[in-house]
Amino acid sequence: MKIFVSGIGVISAIGLNSKKNYEALRSGDSGIKYSSKHHLMLGEVPLSNEELEEMNGVKGRDFSRTTLLALNAVKEAWGANKISSEIRTGFISSTSVGGLDKMEEYYFQYLKESNSDYHSKMIFDNGTTSEEIANELGISGFVSTLSTACSSGPNAILYGARLLELNRLDRVVVGGCDPLALFDLKGFSSLNIYDKNICKPFDQSRKGLNIGEAAGYLVLENEKSLVETGNKVLCVLSGWNNSTDAYHQTASSPNGKGATLAMNRALEKAMLDISDIDYINAHGTGTENNDLSEAMAFKNVFGNDVPSFSSTKGYTGHTLAAAGAIEAVYCVLSLLHQAKFSNLNFTEKMKDIDFCPQLIHEEGVSVNHVLSNSFGFGGNCSSLIFSKN
Amino acid sequence: MYISAASSISFQNSFRNKGFSDQLLEMGDEQTIIYPDYSPFIPAMDRRRMSEGTKMSVACAIDCLSQINLQQPDAVIVGTALGSSNHTKKFLDKIASAEGGLISPTSFIQSTHNTFAGQISLLLKNHGYNTTHTQNSLSFEQALIDSTLCIGEGAKNVLVGGVDENEPILYHLPVRLKKSDIKVGYGASFFVLSLDKKDDFSAKLLAVESYSGVKNVNVFADQVLQQNEIKSDEIDLVLYSSCEQNIEVELSSFFPKSSLIDFQKYCGVYLSNSSFALHLAFDFLQQEKGVKTVLVYNNLISENLGLLLLKRV
């Protein structure tokens, strides 16, 4: 059974919609900038909460920035779709922040003033943000929120695909969103893995990551839904897998076991050969540990014929739960434009790794199948494969 | 799909105590959660750094596997509304008190919602599917639906659980739900769902449904029963949670012959407590006392409804 992709939407530091994101990727413009507020290089969406509320017609609702960013991307992906009693429609989101940005705000105020009014506002669950987003779209019924740290996005996408495949839904909006929260800014700082400059994925002299904020969503449909909606097919989601590294809570195994399993099993699911993959959008965070482990996994899976690959984290920063979701949108754009994205800031191959990432933006080359990787805390490894229909 | 093992840590004497549904005690002010001795389940080194939620999850998970002598499940799936809320709060406190100084990463590392599921896989060295659903009051139902997909895809055994931690911030949850007469609880309940029937006794999970943001929840129970060709008078027991005042009247008009139990009296209010109800249902079915078909009716939040239908086979 084919899982059709018929809509995409994205908001990130490099653009407020998918067209703008593609233009930035094409021209090599990074969205990572120095934040004088946080003294860090960050991939921020240059819009305040008030501006996002205005744009989405939800002023004064006290929504989390998670909901606000997601609404932008979800509305772009959803486009002219309509709710219909004939099409079982669901919404599957993912986030690691959820309402935590709001909780921080109220909790820090509470610590200062000990005002008990803040109590009821300090419940920071993820699911409420998804309920708010679904409600704005008019989707009710099937709503879920995956939260597996930095692999959350693809896990929401593959859950949606499986719900179509096992005939529980006909159409599903899938993706993920994470705003910048002080919690994560301080968290990654405590791990001491920030690059003071723009990150250098897969480079020997890489120093670490930059974090960013973003939202990315896709509309997935089965054949029956397509007949009803008449939507144009952008591509198909042909393979997916989630596997566990089971090595360490935060670090990836040196031999890339979990990543290798996820890629191999996704290829098996898509019934593709390793030579069929034209481009890989890597997880490539720019940390010492991730990039070497991922490169080892490429070797394990592809041997001496590693396909073109790049990390787009140098453009957007690592957008945590949203990362795999916006990169899924980039994979669809790669197929639509027959393009391979460049890996910014690469100068020197990693020791012991004899291949290097895609260095220039290519367009109009043959791209039939693209693979996307995302890895998260808890050894959570996910791969998706998108193919031309 | 069958439930082949169940394990809970709760305010009842539920851990490794088959038949606990016979000894239920309503939650009073003095009642506390009953923790087991964790030492047979978790190595001392790991125990020290684990949060209570992780310890509960790992102990229940390992207990489930040992009940059926299963080495490795094909998937590990957790439903938790608030995840690692203790570590989240701890890390916020550290940020507040650090004032620009260095902060230890320990709580940050353990703060992600998938810590429970991740730690289970890490201890088991399990390389299979591993995910975490965080859908408010329907987190556990979503984890169960995901498990049914795994079984549909060929998995033989799926380890699935619902867990939420004790978090003082949540003491205000009943206020938000406008149900101040109910106590806040917490706990963990894990299960092995299997493709094949394991024992003479087994409980078949006939339906798992999750409805978010729906205006009229009343229509769904009827739909689910019809789909499974079960009449409402065949339901022996309804385990329910609700924030509606007249829920008993409504349910008894729809299920005139069923026993009704407000399961939150025994486990307290927490957002994944339908997992406790599933274990309670399983335990009732296990005792040969005439309960053959049970419906778990989770309407903790008025616009969200979870339905679990199970039958002794």
Side-chain angles (χ1 to χ4, degrees), chain A residues 107 141 145 159 162 168 242 244, chain B residues 93 128 134-135 142 208 212:
Chain A
Y107 187 58
T145 310
Y159 184 51
R162 293 163 60 229
R168 266 196 98 121
N242 167 272
T244 315
Chain B
D93 284 331
T134 60
Q135 192 48 51
Q142 283 295 331
V208 187
S212 288

Side-chain angles (χ1 to χ4, degrees), chain A residues 97 210 233 267 274 301 314 327 334 362 376:
Chain A
V97 171
N210 319 113
V233 175
L267 282 162
I274 49 171
V301 175
E327 287 155 20
S334 157
E362 283 187 284

Side-chain angles (χ1 to χ4, degrees), chain A residues 273-285:
Chain A
D273 193 67
I274 49 171
S275 60
D276 293 325
I277 299 296
D278 299 301
Y279 167 67
I280 303 171
N281 189 297
H283 188 54
T285 57

Side-chain angles (χ1 to χ4, degrees), chain A residues 252-388:
Chain A
S252 300
S253 60
N255 62 0
K257 168 124 191 188
T260 303
L261 285 172
M263 283 189 276
N264 277 333
R265 288 167 175 171
L267 282 162
E268 202 177 302
K269 171 70 191 166
M271 292 189 285
L272 291 175
D273 193 67
I274 49 171
S275 60
D276 293 325
I277 299 296
D278 299 301
Y279 167 67
I280 303 171
N281 189 297
H283 188 54
T285 57
T287 64
E288 179 73 34
N289 173 245
N290 176 81
D291 294 5
L292 188 60
S293 173
E294 188 171 9
M296 292 305 289
F298 287 159
K299 263 207 224 176
N300 296 340
V301 175
F302 297 98
N304 292 325
D305 299 304
V306 176
S308 306
F309 71 97
S310 66
S311 162
T312 46
K313 299 284 197 294
Y315 289 87
T316 59
H318 185 2
T319 60
L320 313 181
I326 65 169
E327 287 155 20
V329 172
Y330 295 166
C331 287
V332 177
L333 290 170
S334 157
L335 289 166
L336 291 177
H337 294 275
Q338 294 288 283
K340 296 174 182 177
F341 306 121
S342 64
N343 189 102
L344 295 179
N345 297 330
F346 179 87
T347 49
E348 192 191 341
K349 277 184 204 167
M350 292 185 286
K351 209 180 147 214
D352 303 328
I353 298 294
D354 53 4
F355 46 83
C356 61
Q358 175 82 16
L359 297 178
I360 51 157
H361 184 89
E362 283 187 284
E363 206 175 76
V365 291
S366 170
V367 181
N368 294 310
H369 305 280
V370 297
L371 185 144
S372 173
N373 281 341
S374 298
F375 315 126
F377 280 8
N380 203 280
C381 303
S382 296
S383 296
L384 302 174
I385 299 174
F386 293 89
S387 302
K388 269 174 85 173

Side-chain angles (χ1 to χ4, degrees), chain A residues 159-282:
Chain A
Y159 184 51
R162 293 163 60 229
L163 287 161
L164 296 190
E165 199 173 56
L166 284 111
N167 197 28
R168 266 196 98 121
L169 294 174
D170 301 311
R171 173 177 61 178
V172 61
V173 181
V174 292
C177 180
D178 257 344
L180 285 171
L182 192 64
F183 189 89
D184 288 320
L185 289 172
K186 296 289 183 191
F188 286 100
S189 160
S190 74
L191 290 170
N192 206 13
I193 50 170
Y194 283 132
D195 192 324
K196 289 191 183 75
N197 301 301
I198 297 178
C199 62
K200 305 173 81 174
F202 299 107
D203 191 277
Q204 174 61 21
S205 67
R206 67 198 180 283
K207 294 278 186 297
L209 51 76
N210 319 113
I211 67 170
E213 58 183 353
Y217 288 86
L218 301 91
V219 178
L220 307 180
E221 295 183 68
N222 65 13
E223 193 105 44
K224 179 196 150 200
S225 174
L226 272 185
V227 171
E228 287 281 331
T229 61
N231 285 335
K232 190 181 152 215
V233 175
L234 304 177
C235 65
V236 295
L237 175 56
S238 55
W240 56 81
N241 184 262
N242 167 272
S243 289
T244 315
D245 202 30
Y247 170 74
H248 184 268
Q249 169 66 12
T250 54
S252 300
S253 60
N255 62 0
K257 168 124 191 188
T260 303
L261 285 172
M263 283 189 276
N264 277 333
R265 288 167 175 171
L267 282 162
E268 202 177 302
K269 171 70 191 166
M271 292 189 285
L272 291 175
D273 193 67
I274 49 171
S275 60
D276 293 325
I277 299 296
D278 299 301
Y279 167 67
I280 303 171
N281 189 297

Side-chain angles (χ1 to χ4, degrees), chain A residues 91-92 95-98 100 103-104 107-108 111 116 119-128 130-131 135 139-149 151 155 158-159 162-163 165-166 168 182-191 240-250 257-258 261 265 376-380, chain B residues 49 77 81-82 85 87-89 91-93 95-96 100 103-115 118-119 121-122 125-138 141-143 145-153 167-170 172-173 175-176 208-215 271 301 304:
Chain A
F91 179 63
I92 314 294
T95 181
S96 66
V97 171
L100 183 59
M103 186 202 169
E104 280 173 4
Y107 187 58
F108 293 140
L111 289 179
S116 63
H119 270 120
S120 61
K121 294 177 175 173
M122 286 193 294
I123 298 168
F124 49 95
D125 80 294
N126 292 343
T128 300
S130 303
E131 289 169 5
N135 186 46
I139 295 176
S140 66
F142 204 99
V143 176
S144 194
T145 310
L146 283 292
S147 193
T148 60
S151 54
N155 287 340
L158 65 86
Y159 184 51
R162 293 163 60 229
L163 287 161
E165 199 173 56
L166 284 111
R168 266 196 98 121
L182 192 64
F183 189 89
D184 288 320
L185 289 172
K186 296 289 183 191
F188 286 100
S189 160
S190 74
L191 290 170
W240 56 81
N241 184 262
N242 167 272
S243 289
T244 315
D245 202 30
Y247 170 74
H248 184 268
Q249 169 66 12
T250 54
K257 168 124 191 188
L261 285 172
R265 288 167 175 171
F377 280 8
N380 203 280
Chain B
R49 56 175 179 78
I77 304 174
L82 297 161
S85 47
H87 277 301
T88 303
K89 176 114 167 323
F91 198 69
L92 282 178
D93 284 331
I95 294 172
I103 307 175
S104 151
T106 313
S107 285
F108 179 67
I109 286 168
Q110 306 279 340
S111 74
T112 57
H113 286 75
N114 67 330
T115 302
Q119 289 288 323
S121 286
L122 193 56
K125 296 273 169 243
N126 185 287
H127 294 285
Y129 180 72
N130 186 296
T131 207
T132 299
H133 289 263
T134 60
Q135 192 48 51
N136 204 349
S137 58
L138 297 171
E141 281 76 359
Q142 283 295 331
I145 289 172
D146 201 340
S147 308
T148 68
L149 299 184
C150 290
I151 299 276
E153 289 159 347
E167 178 46 63
I169 284 174
L170 295 180
H172 297 265
L173 190 63
V175 180
R176 195 165 85 157
V208 187
E209 300 293 338
S210 162
Y211 309 92
S212 288
V214 288
K215 294 267 158 6
L271 292 164
I301 290 177
N304 292 350

